[in-house]
Amino acid sequence: MGYTNVALKDKIMEMYPDITKHGISVGLDFDKGKNAYIVAFKKGSNELTTHLEKKDADECMDGNKCVYF
């Protein structure tokens, strides 16, 4: 499945509107070595970084919840 980082980030924001509601910023990059997306959530001085496996990202793009969030 082909999609951009921006499309995946938009899909995450669409599926989880509370992210925007609570003023949390989201950064997203693909790590080729891990074959996963690195997702960083930040609000003020607090930051949480997690990874989303490629296959799980594909499922998110298909409309399934990203259970790791």
Side-chain angles (χ1 to χ4, degrees):
M1 172 179 284
Y3 47 86
T4 65
N5 287 7
V6 173
L8 178 57
K9 180 180 172 184
D10 288 347
K11 187 66 168 182
I12 291 168
M13 302 298 277
E14 174 189 320
M15 294 175 83
Y16 297 93
D18 284 348
I19 292 171
T20 303
K21 178 181 171 185
H22 294 290
I24 300 168
S25 64
V26 178
L28 185 136
D29 285 308
F30 187 73
D31 184 320
K32 290 181 183 179
K34 293 182 180 182
N35 195 35
Y37 289 90
I38 307 303
V39 185
F41 298 97
K42 187 172 184 179
K43 182 172 182 179
S45 63
N46 297 314
E47 186 170 346
L48 171 71
T49 303
T50 188
H51 75 280
L52 183 62
E53 299 291 331
K54 175 76 168 84
K55 66 179 183 63
D56 296 324
D58 292 347
E59 289 180 8
C60 286
M61 291 303 290
D62 286 337
N64 299 320
K65 291 283 185 178
C66 301
V67 296
Y68 301 104
F69 303 139

